Amino acid sequence: MGTVSCSDPQQSKTWLLGEVDQNIEDKTEGAFSFPFSNSTSQPIQIRVRSIGCSCYAIRRGEARLKVGDVFELGAGQAETLTLHPPRPTADRASDYQFSVEYEPAPAAPKEVISCQGTLVTIAEYRINPGLISAEFVKDSPPQAVRLEITRTARDSQAADHPPVITGWPVGAQAQEPVSLGPVLEVPASEPGAQLWRKSWRLSATIARPESSAAGRDDFRTLTVTGAEPGSPQAEVKLALRFRSGLYGPQIVHFGDVPAGQLVTRRIQILARDDQPFRITGPSEDGLALSIESESDAPVKSHWGNLTFTPTETGDFRHMLEIATDHPEQPTLLVEVRAHVISE
C-alpha cells in the first residue's frame, strides 16, 4: 500500500532585513514549496489540520487554505502547497509550520503530515547594548558611553565601511569608530549567498544637558548607518538619566468621580539625588486638590495622599504644583485628570 508524503523541513536562504520586500508574503522568492505525492492506487482526501499562526498563509495555487479545508489528491498525482511567511522584522531564524491529515484507507486511522519552513534573517546592524545610558548628578562632568556595532553586508567592502551615528545631543563628542578585527565571511546557507561581517567599537562623551522636564529622564533616538550611498539604517535609544531634583508621577487620573465626593490617590515623590526634603503642599490656594505627606520630617522619599473634591461636572484637567523645600527643585508639576459625573 502506498502513502502520501511531504518534503523534509526547509530552510530559506539567509536574508538581510533590508533586502526583505514589504510584501514578502506575496512573493514566491520568500515562500516555501511543499510537494505532496500520492503513491496509493486511489484518490485521497487531504484535510488541513493546523496552521501555526494566522500571520502567514498556506496556499494551494491561488487559493488560501484555512484549517478544515479539504482537497483531493488523485492516485499517483502530486501537488504543491506553498507556505508564505510574514515579512520578517527580527534578527533570528523563525519556524513556520502547518500540518495536514488523511485516511490511507476507509475507516483507517488518520495519518498526519507536518511541514516546516525556517526563515533566516540577519540584521545589517547588531548594536550592543540596545539601550545606551548616561547618568548625571548635579555638576556632573561629561559622561562616557560606549557601544559595539556589527555590520553584515553582501559585499565585503560595504561591511568594511565604518558605521556613522547621528542624533547625538548638543555638545556630545563622538570618537572615530575603532575596528575590532578584519572583515569575516559568514558561512553561506546556499551557493552564491555569501555575507560579510565586521565589528566596531564607538565611544562618545556627553555633557550634562539642561533638563527641560524637571529632572525627568530624556530619551533620544540615534541613527546608525554606513558611509556608502544607500546604506541601510538602524536605530538605538540613548537615555539621559538625571539624579538630581525630584521624581514623581507625570499624570494622576482619578477616573469617574461624582461631583461633591472626596477621592484620594496615593502617590510617591522621591529625590533622585537622595537629598532629604519636605512636601509643604500645593503652591496654589483655593483648589479642589490637596496633598498631604505621610511624613513631616525631611526624607528622601515621600508617600502622600492626593485628594480631590470636584464641584462641577465634566472633564477636569489641571497642572498641580506641589511645593517642596528641595534645594534644587522647589516645585514638582503633576497633571491631574478626572471625569466628574453627576451624583
Side-chain angles (χ1 to χ4, degrees):
M1 173 177 159
T3 61
V4 175
S5 61
C6 172
S7 58
D8 294 332
Q10 300 181 34
Q11 179 171 312
S12 73
K13 75 171 187 180
T14 300
W15 292 78
L16 290 173
L17 285 178
E19 298 173 339
V20 180
D21 188 88
Q22 291 285 347
N23 297 311
I24 186 174
E25 63 271 17
D26 295 324
K27 307 295 182 181
T28 57
E29 186 177 1
F32 299 96
S33 296
F34 293 93
F36 287 78
S37 59
N38 178 9
S39 62
T40 70
S41 59
Q42 60 185 1
I44 293 292
Q45 299 292 313
I46 296 180
R47 177 183 177 274
V48 180
R49 184 172 184 267
S50 68
I51 299 175
C53 174
S54 61
C55 60
Y56 54 91
I58 309 299
R59 289 195 173 99
R60 178 183 177 227
E62 297 297 321
R64 179 167 180 167
L65 300 178
K66 62 182 183 297
V67 174
D69 284 351
V70 177
F71 63 92
E72 184 175 280
L73 188 61
Q77 290 186 347
E79 184 154 355
T80 298
L81 298 187
T82 307
L83 187 159
H84 294 262
R87 180 179 182 272
T89 58
D91 182 356
R92 66 187 180 197
S94 301
D95 295 332
Y96 301 99
Q97 301 169 334
F98 71 97
S99 66
V100 298
E101 61 186 11
Y102 71 99
E103 292 181 355
K110 291 181 180 179
E111 297 282 348
V112 177
I113 302 174
S114 298
C115 303
Q116 176 176 303
T118 301
L119 185 63
V120 183
T121 51
I122 293 180
E124 284 87 344
Y125 299 100
R126 291 177 176 174
I127 305 171
N128 185 35
L131 173 66
I132 314 168
S133 180
E135 189 172 274
F136 300 92
V137 295
K138 183 181 179 181
D139 302 324
S140 177
Q143 300 296 297
V145 296
R146 188 170 68 178
L147 67 160
E148 292 185 4
I149 298 176
T150 299
R151 172 72 191 275
T152 303
R154 291 288 176 197
D155 179 82
S156 61
Q157 292 183 342
D160 201 29
H161 286 158
V164 177
I165 295 185
T166 56
W168 293 108
V170 175
Q173 296 183 345
Q175 308 300 317
E176 291 294 324
V178 176
S179 171
L180 297 181
V183 178
L184 300 176
E185 186 175 3
V186 180
S189 58
E190 60 184 28
Q194 287 84 357
L195 291 169
W196 304 86
R197 179 175 292 164
K198 182 170 182 175
S199 296
W200 305 81
R201 179 179 294 120
L202 287 87
S203 303
T205 55
I206 302 174
R208 186 184 189 279
E210 292 294 331
S211 175
S212 59
R216 300 189 189 279
D217 293 345
D218 185 8
F219 290 87
R220 311 287 182 90
T221 299
L222 307 181
T223 300
V224 181
T225 187
E228 77 277 12
S231 169
Q233 295 184 351
E235 293 182 346
V236 61
K237 292 292 184 181
L238 168 66
L240 305 179
R241 305 188 185 277
F242 299 94
R243 291 200 60 210
S244 60
L246 302 176
Y247 178 82
Q250 291 181 280
I251 299 175
V252 176
H253 204 308
F254 283 89
D256 291 340
V257 181
Q261 178 176 310
L262 184 148
V263 288
T264 301
R265 291 288 185 272
R266 195 163 180 259
I267 65 172
Q268 183 184 30
I269 301 173
L270 56 86
R272 291 176 178 270
D273 54 6
D274 295 331
Q275 172 72 44
F277 68 100
R278 291 184 178 90
I279 292 179
T280 58
S283 60
E284 304 172 58
D285 295 325
L287 287 175
L289 288 161
S290 65
I291 184 167
E292 182 178 350
S293 175
E294 296 179 356
S295 173
D296 294 329
V299 292
K300 301 174 185 178
S301 174
H302 283 268
W303 283 98
N305 292 318
L306 180 63
T307 59
F308 178 44
T309 310
T311 58
E312 298 180 359
T313 59
D315 289 330
F316 179 89
R317 182 174 180 178
H318 182 77
M319 296 301 297
L320 177 67
E321 288 190 1
I322 299 175
T324 79
D325 64 359
H326 190 281
E328 287 189 32
Q329 191 175 338
T331 61
L332 178 72
L333 285 175
V334 177
E335 183 178 348
V336 180
R337 298 181 185 178
H339 181 62
V340 184
I341 59 178
S342 299
E343 293 185 76

